Amino acid sequence: MTTRSLGFRAWRWSAVLSMALTGCAVEPQEESSAQEQLQAVQQRTQALTPPTGCTEITMNALANGIQLTPVKYGNQPTYQGTFGSFGDPAVADSALIRLDVNTAPGLHDLAAGGGNLFTCEQCVYGYQDAGTTGQKLFVADSGSLLLALKVSPQQTVGALYNVTLRESVTAAPLSAPYKGSAVVPGGACKWIRYATWNTVRSLGCDPREGSLTANLPGHTCVADNYFADDGTLEKSEGTKTQGAACTSTPATEANHPATTDCAQGFACTDLLSDNPQCLKTCDPMAAVPGCPSGTVCGVYGLCIEQSVLEPIGFAFDPALMGETCSAGFTEFCGVEGARGVCADVTGSGQATCLRYARARSDCGAGEELGFVNYPLSGGGYDRGSGFCYHDGL
């Protein structure tokens, strides 16, 4: 837990979910506007033909951060999978969709990104013969992306249609996390008539303050990632609160939540202790995270004492937003409701308290979204803890 690195600019299709509360559970609605949109789009695409010189391809199932092996949470939600083979049949052709955290349900024009992976907010791209010396990058420069349902930034249902992907090369800026790309004049062209994805998980929820699934009666949305914008529901059947020893009982049936003896709003977890305890859940980006006195809203959206976090590798600095930090890289600066990270993005040797942000679109003019890289087991990573900094572009 002590290793950190920074990156700068560098249910089924028959009842696609529209979430609603029925009693104390989240139930699918048979008449889903999302489903209707997808069906209408699919019907319209039947008469389409590929653009001149483009080869039609298909897209297989995509997976989100926690569904991947190893787990990979990108600095913005990135769904990964494969296209139907169009290169060497012995090598996978990777398919990726990257969305800004704030991407709203609805129709999005992929031409708005200019076929450039640096400027697109909704990006569709992939690699022919991925991972080989002969791999080729393909980036969508036209077509439509329909975001039909959004449970959390990581859990969505959607479709691509009439999408043209052009052979491209990397282009300025070349620094992580958002490299640019440029279309190769006269390069190869691929075309997607219609393809869908569904990364919604059974019992998936959104821990962020104000989400439809953050405070379901009798349940607790427990974060699965460091910055607490993707989660899984637990059934809260007890009355235990902050710091009490607890028990979590796995479900005996598929698609049912684990049950705990914690009160609603408290996760039963051993993430930050040797033994499971009830910890209040919180949104680290909320103006008032609502943690009990003496605790802070820490990693995984859990209220915990600062004195517990520090020995396991999470440092704190008293600097406020924009102020110079007293040390180098530090995971927490600012105050509750206005947290940031201490980072030296210029190489000056002086770290500054930079405000945390989840979405690239939350950064202002002249700013970029950097990220804190938390290594996970098996070579995975969690890069969802973003921060805005002036990139000089």
Side-chain angles (χ1 to χ4, degrees), residues 47-347:
L48 296 177
T49 57
T52 302
C54 297
T55 303
E56 183 170 356
I57 61 172
T58 58
M59 186 176 75
N60 301 317
L62 302 180
N64 65 20
I66 201 170
Q67 295 171 325
L68 297 168
T69 303
V71 174
K72 295 179 180 179
Y73 278 112
N75 36 312
Q76 292 291 266
T78 303
Y79 315 136
Q80 301 185 39
T82 60
F83 290 118
S85 180
F86 57 83
D88 183 339
V91 181
D93 300 317
S94 63
L96 301 98
I97 296 177
R98 189 183 78 210
L99 303 178
D100 185 90
V101 162
N102 289 335
T103 297
L107 194 61
H108 299 273
D109 183 0
L110 296 176
N116 186 335
L117 292 177
F118 181 73
T119 57
C120 57
E121 286 195 0
Q122 295 79 38
C123 313
V124 179
Y125 61 106
Y127 295 89
Q128 177 181 319
D129 299 342
T132 70
T133 56
Q135 77 171 16
K136 290 182 178 180
L137 171 66
F138 284 82
V139 179
D141 69 347
S142 67
S144 297
L145 181 151
L146 173 65
L147 189 60
L149 175 70
K150 184 175 184 178
V151 175
S152 78
Q154 294 286 337
Q155 300 181 67
T156 64
V157 175
L160 304 174
Y161 66 95
N162 196 23
V163 173
T164 302
L165 298 102
R166 305 280 181 182
E167 182 180 349
S168 302
V169 292
T170 56
L174 299 176
S175 301
Y178 302 100
K179 295 181 176 66
S181 65
V183 172
V184 175
C189 172
K190 309 299 177 184
W191 180 72
I192 299 173
R193 178 188 305 275
Y194 177 79
T196 61
W197 78 87
N198 181 355
T199 61
V200 175
R201 306 191 306 274
S202 174
L203 305 173
C205 59
D206 184 350
R208 296 178 300 169
E209 182 181 61
S211 87
L212 293 176
T213 52
N215 293 289
L216 297 176
H219 293 74
T220 299
C221 182
V222 181
D224 292 313
N225 57 351
Y226 274 85
F227 218 31
D229 63 4
D230 189 36
T232 301
L233 289 172
E234 291 181 346
K235 192 171 184 180
S236 305
E237 296 190 326
T239 59
K240 295 179 179 180
T241 58
Q242 189 73 14
C246 61
T247 300
S248 178
T249 305
T252 57
E253 299 178 64
N255 301 324
H256 284 66
T259 59
T260 80
D261 53 358
C262 296
Q264 180 184 334
F266 291 81
C268 183
T269 178
D270 61 0
L271 275 175
L272 305 175
S273 57
D274 292 332
N275 299 302
Q277 60 177 321
C278 297
L279 295 180
K280 179 77 168 63
T281 59
C282 58
D283 182 349
M285 292 301 294
V288 182
C291 286
S293 178
T295 67
V296 299
C297 187
V299 292
Y300 286 95
L302 297 171
C303 297
I304 192 70
E305 293 83 357
Q306 181 175 324
S307 60
V308 172
L309 290 172
E310 289 175 325
I312 59 176
F314 297 96
F316 287 75
D317 192 287
L320 301 180
M321 222 60 62
E323 293 182 349
T324 299
C325 300
S326 58
F329 173 69
T330 305
E331 288 86 354
F332 294 92
C333 58
V335 297
E336 286 290 89
R339 287 292 187 191
V341 59
C342 287
D344 175 14
V345 298
T346 63

Side-chain angles (χ1 to χ4, degrees), residues 285 321-322 333 339-341 353-357 362-364 367 369 386-389:
M285 292 301 294
M321 222 60 62
C333 58
R339 287 292 187 191
V341 59
C353 183
L354 303 168
R355 66 183 178 93
Y356 272 126
D362 285 339
C363 296
E367 291 185 325
L369 186 73
F387 58 90
C388 297
Y389 69 98

